Amino acid sequence: MQEVQRIVILDFGAQYTQLIARRVREANVFCEVVPYHTSLEDIRAKRPAGVILSGGPASVLDADAPTVDPGLYALGVPVLGICYGMQLTAHLLGGRVERAAQREYGRVQVEMDTESRLLAGLSPVSQCWMSHTYHVTAAPEGFVSIARSANCGFCAMQDAARGIYCVQFHPEVTHSEEGQRVLRNFVLDICGCRGDWTMSAFVRDAVASIQRTVGGGRVLLGLSGGVDSSVAAALISKAIGERLTCVYVDHGFMRKDETEQVKDVFTNLFPVNLVAVDARDRFLQAVAGVAEPEQKRKIIGAEFVAVFAQEAEKIGAVDFLAQGTIYPDVIESGSVKGSAVIKSHHNVGGLPENLRFKALLEPLRMLFKDEVRKVGEELGMPADMVWRQPFPGPGLAIRIVGDITEEKLGIVRESDAILRAEVGAAGLERSINQYFTVLTGVRSVGVMGDERTYDYTVAIRAVTTDDFMTVDWARLPYDLLARVSERIVNEVGHVNRVVFDITTKPPASVEWE
Ligand code: XMP
């Protein structure tokens, strides 16, 4: 097996650092984001094929500006500095960096020297995204300018003999029209990466690595039915089969048919030692009469830990606790979070404190969400499991405003299933990030046949977003809304009104509770 080639990205805190990593991986090259202050030995130990210095909010002229050991430039591998990374390179190697007369922000036409290996294949004038206040006004010795704009003589520079390349613009954002070409040129041509890091290669290597790590040991995984824990379970099952025990707690707040699917997939498609706990009555009793949202969450969380602990006690000590930790859980811009943090695997109440295991197993910890989905597809998991939308740990319980009863759960579960079916039939399931129904708790007067009714109002919530920190409401087609409304009032008992939530976040949250 050939060694996986990797690019190391030093993070100076730019909001775009994760995007650089995404783009490098789109060129089928593995890369890793580490904090800028990672030691030279640690970087060398990773045996990188190249190093990228990200952008960042600081100014290299500040006394306490983030910096690197200049030995980095003599590691013997190519270096690409982006924005702050370029200014830092100029500063450390003897060039000059100054505050620009005006902050440059937005799309800028840049003239490219396409005979440079970094810029080969680009148009002679290419649109680039700029966002900087400082710029290089004199290149260090050995460097030449390879790109320029009306405002800036050094939009890119290189010292080809030393393998050091810099760009002031942001090749990682799509507003830089040919930015991906620049990154490909760097990693494939200049660093000489093979571009063979695919998800099928990942699966092959991960299976072998899990087998090596686990040996003849036993692994425990808390399965929530969500994408990350399901893909982790499938991958580990492929590696060690039924030496993987998965505990799935059905708290009764899952969506229609979800529990059946989890049981089916992890019994027939990826056989594991599945412990599916039917705790529906227990949870329903625990939340009976509770209307306050935070209290509901707390009760469900605590109950979850208690049920999980009971099952873990029966299983006894295991060698590994597996988690579906993914890369965004590990890195955040500007820093790399502590490793080996126990993730609250169900996003509800965390894990019991006295779980007995020797080590954590996190086979997806280097992957982004879309890569995790590709791994799922590669393994042959059902598409609706792999493309499942985000679903809160407390589930449907926080989509019923007020207290929870079995009848109300039925209403929200059935109406949600209708919405999902119709969004799917309209082919919109991948363009809307999250969509569901809410039992609002409002009852109002209606007529059905000759009868006066006094029944529930169901709300449709559908949002588009990049990160769920801010969201827009999805512009669902009127015809789709009409079909969903008609079906809900006809097919779901005790609903006589359907409304559409047209609020952004902020001020509203995605969930109603
Ligand atoms: P909000 O309602 O906070 O939701 O705007 C943002 C995203 O987070 C999800 N969400 C949760 N996920 N446990 C989770 O695992 C929770 O308690 C929880 N509450 C909200 C929500 O579905 C949306 O995707």
Side-chain angles (χ1 to χ4, degrees), residues 297 347 390 392-394 434 468 505 509-511:
R297 279 172 195 269
N347 304 313
Q434 200 174 6
F468 291 94
K505 172 185 175 179
S509 49
V510 176
E511 304 288 348

Side-chain angles (χ1 to χ4, degrees), residues 289-299 398 401-403 513:
V290 178
E292 208 281 312
E294 275 313 299
Q295 216 188 333
K296 276 190 204 171
R297 279 172 195 269
K298 282 204 182 96
I299 293 171
I398 57 165
V401 178
D403 70 320
E513 286 202 335

Side-chain angles (χ1 to χ4, degrees), residues 128-208:
C128 296
W129 181 257
M130 296 281 190
S131 171
H132 61 112
T133 311
Y134 293 82
H135 60 190
V136 175
T137 51
E141 211 181 307
F143 279 79
V144 290
S145 165
I146 52 170
R148 55 210 65 80
S149 70
N151 299 324
C152 177
F154 292 94
C155 292
M157 64 180 191
Q158 70 180 31
D159 179 342
R162 281 199 281 173
I164 307 171
Y165 296 80
C166 293
V167 291
Q168 181 53 66
F169 56 88
H170 287 275
E172 69 277 19
V173 304
T174 49
H175 305 316
S176 290
E177 280 177 349
E178 297 176 299
Q180 182 63 2
R181 183 80 201 224
V182 175
L183 289 170
R184 286 179 68 86
N185 284 345
F186 180 70
V187 298
L188 298 178
D189 179 36
I190 296 170
C191 299
C193 292
R194 293 184 297 271
D196 58 0
W197 195 71
T198 59
M199 285 306 116
S200 67
F202 171 83
V203 168
R204 190 194 58 217
D205 294 350
V207 165

